[in-house]
Amino acid sequence: MPDPLLSAAASGVTEPDPVDRLILDEAAELGVVDAPLAVVGDATGALAVAAAERFDLDTVRTFHDAVSEERASDDAVRASFRSLKAVRFGLEPALFDGVRLVLLRLPKSLAELDEIARLVAAHAHPEVRIVAGGRIKHMSRGMNETLERSFERVTASLGRQKSRVLHASAPKAELRGAASAYPIVQSSDELGFSIASHGGAFAGPRLDLGTRELLAALRDLPADELPEAGLAVDLGCGTGVLAVALARLRPELEVIASDRSWAAVSSARETVRIAGVQDRVEVRREDAGSSIETGSVDVVLLNPPFHDRHEVVEDMAHPLFEQAARMLRPGASMLTVFNSGLAHRAALERIVGPSTQISRGAKFTVVLSRRRG
């Protein structure tokens, strides 16, 4: 009988990596595989496609945090060798309703893992099993402890090809049917409003240091750099702090908060709702503000990421710079904060236009760029 993982690779689907293979092998040994099956955190679609073939399933439930991961998964499903339907969900009860098996690529954030585990414990089948895999160098005892808050039994597999799997079973009785603890909402006296955060959102329900630096610069901008009215974009909005702060600072501005992450967008929508500015702030889930009309924006605020999962990627912000340059009208302004060790000012000069340093500290630099005509 041919190896389904090799068949998947031969068909043009992205080949499952060692973590995927270990997850599938460990899951197969449980003997509980049946529809519905939920696959979470599968960045390429390889795990979902290979699982469908391995366990002879026509439907798989999936959750992807990033829009780009959804596209990759769609491509993998289309390229697969069987009639497979991947039903997409948010990180919500319906994803796990009645599920007996969850295949999980372990997230970087323990808060995200906690949110996933609590949802599974509350809404999946009482005999559900989680098979959660990752690279050993990225795993920690904290992951076991996080799963143990929601499940009575948590064990670890033997390592293989620098990968390992955690097994979780027996949901805690007090969590069955319980409402989600997420998003977490935390009041900020400094901001004057509350921040809502799902587990996977950067910085959680707190004001991160980079955003604090950008907000300080924003409040001091002259009127010609921060118009009273028009269209503003919080690009890569995270929990929506900048979008809400800007809407409160300039009540006549129309604000779009844009992010590729489900956790970020869901958090931002709740932050916006709690702050009472939902009539002036629209939250969109998309890749790098792709839906925003070219040359239509009067100001962009950007606190760009520089980590891709566990790796530092210095040019990760460049696509955001390019999209900002596209959406800004000629002469319009962009305020960017970034780690002082990154050479982003030169990139902003090249991609957006003339850029002036507003502030610089040991950790963060704020730069004001003007879109060249």
Side-chain angles (χ1 to χ4, degrees), residues 32 35 40 42 83 90 148 155 160 177 199 204 228 245 271 282 316 320 373:
V32 298
V40 178
D42 174 22
S83 177
E148 287 166 357
T155 60
R160 190 180 81 189
E228 292 289 339
T271 300
E282 179 188 356
M316 188 176 178
L320 291 171

Side-chain angles (χ1 to χ4, degrees), residues 287-329:
D287 205 357
S290 57
S291 74
I292 299 170
E293 185 178 345
T294 297
S296 65
V297 176
D298 298 284
V299 62
V300 169
L301 304 182
L302 177 59
N303 181 1
F306 60 94
H307 280 95
D308 187 2
R309 295 182 181 269
H310 298 276
E311 308 300 328
V312 175
V313 182
E314 292 211 8
D315 61 355
M316 188 176 178
H318 291 190
L320 291 171
F321 297 165
E322 290 163 0
Q323 284 285 17
R326 177 193 63 79
M327 66 180 69
L328 282 166
R329 62 172 178 77

Side-chain angles (χ1 to χ4, degrees), residues 112-151:
E112 184 176 1
L113 179 59
D114 182 61
E115 183 171 11
I116 293 166
R118 286 175 177 272
L119 281 169
V120 175
H123 302 287
H125 191 279
E127 297 177 2
V128 66
R129 305 291 292 267
I130 295 180
V131 184
R135 302 289 282 175
I136 291 173
K137 67 179 180 179
H138 297 146
M139 297 174 69
S140 68
R141 176 61 194 170
M143 292 177 172
N144 301 57
E145 294 167 351
T146 298
L147 289 170
E148 287 166 357
R149 289 200 289 269
S150 296
F151 292 88

Side-chain angles (χ1 to χ4, degrees), residues 83 88 140 152 154 213 263 359:
S83 177
R88 187 180 299 155
S140 68
E152 299 289 354
V154 177
E213 292 292 328
S359 65

Side-chain angles (χ1 to χ4, degrees), residues 15-362:
E15 184 177 359
D17 68 8
V19 176
D20 293 335
R21 290 176 176 273
L22 185 56
I23 288 172
L24 290 165
D25 288 347
E26 293 277 327
E29 292 181 6
L30 298 176
V32 298
V33 181
D34 195 4
L37 169 74
V39 179
V40 178
D42 174 22
T44 65
L47 179 57
V49 170
E53 175 66 12
R54 181 77 169 258
F55 304 126
D56 194 26
L57 301 174
D58 294 323
T59 303
V60 175
R61 298 181 188 179
T62 63
F63 167 71
H64 306 276
D65 183 66
V67 172
S68 56
E69 293 175 357
E70 289 182 351
R71 288 199 302 267
S73 180
D74 289 345
D75 291 343
V77 169
R78 281 193 293 268
S80 66
F81 44 88
R82 62 183 294 122
S83 177
L84 172 62
K85 182 179 182 182
V87 183
R88 187 180 299 155
F89 289 85
L91 194 54
E92 57 190 327
L95 170 62
F96 301 114
D97 186 29
V99 165
R100 286 178 173 267
L101 180 64
V102 177
L103 306 184
L104 169 65
R105 294 290 300 238
L106 284 162
K108 178 181 178 181
S109 163
L110 292 180
E112 184 176 1
L113 179 59
D114 182 61
E115 183 171 11
I116 293 166
R118 286 175 177 272
L119 281 169
V120 175
H123 302 287
H125 191 279
E127 297 177 2
V128 66
R129 305 291 292 267
I130 295 180
V131 184
R135 302 289 282 175
I136 291 173
K137 67 179 180 179
H138 297 146
M139 297 174 69
S140 68
R141 176 61 194 170
M143 292 177 172
N144 301 57
E145 294 167 351
T146 298
L147 289 170
E148 287 166 357
R149 289 200 289 269
S150 296
F151 292 88
E152 299 289 354
R153 292 192 295 273
V154 177
T155 60
S157 74
L158 296 175
R160 190 180 81 189
Q161 292 183 282
K162 301 181 181 179
S163 306
R164 179 166 287 145
V165 157
L166 300 180
H167 290 271
S169 60
K172 292 196 171 179
E174 63 269 25
L175 292 179
R176 297 298 299 161
S180 176
Y182 293 85
I184 295 170
V185 178
Q186 186 169 301
S187 177
S188 170
D189 293 337
E190 182 177 354
L191 290 171
F193 58 86
S194 296
I195 304 172
S197 176
H198 281 272
F202 172 70
R206 297 171 297 280
L207 177 61
D208 71 277
L209 296 177
T211 297
R212 179 182 282 115
E213 292 292 328
L214 192 147
L215 283 173
L218 180 67
R219 296 186 186 104
D220 293 337
L221 279 183
D224 61 334
E225 301 290 0
L226 185 59
E228 292 289 339
L231 178 61
V233 173
D234 177 4
L235 189 57
C237 66
T239 55
V241 169
L242 289 172
V244 170
L246 184 57
R248 289 161 61 98
L249 187 64
R250 291 287 190 269
E252 299 302 315
L253 270 179
E254 191 179 332
V255 183
I256 295 173
S258 171
D259 205 295
R260 68 176 186 171
S261 160
W262 181 94
V265 164
S266 298
S267 303
R269 286 188 177 130
E270 187 64 7
T271 300
V272 166
R273 186 193 69 79
I274 294 170
V277 294
Q278 62 268 39
D279 59 329
R280 291 183 287 116
V281 180
E282 179 188 356
V283 184
R284 299 181 184 180
R285 183 169 178 246
E286 59 191 358
D287 205 357
S290 57
S291 74
I292 299 170
E293 185 178 345
T294 297
S296 65
V297 176
D298 298 284
V299 62
V300 169
L301 304 182
L302 177 59
N303 181 1
F306 60 94
H307 280 95
D308 187 2
R309 295 182 181 269
H310 298 276
E311 308 300 328
V312 175
V313 182
E314 292 211 8
D315 61 355
M316 188 176 178
H318 291 190
L320 291 171
F321 297 165
E322 290 163 0
Q323 284 285 17
R326 177 193 63 79
M327 66 180 69
L328 282 166
R329 62 172 178 77
S333 299
M334 173 179 175
L335 199 62
T336 307
V337 64
F338 52 88
N339 287 63
S340 294
L342 299 175
H344 281 350
R345 182 177 174 183
L348 287 164
E349 287 268 3
R350 183 179 74 254
I351 297 169
V352 180
S355 299
T356 303
Q357 181 175 295
I358 301 298
S359 65
R360 182 181 177 89

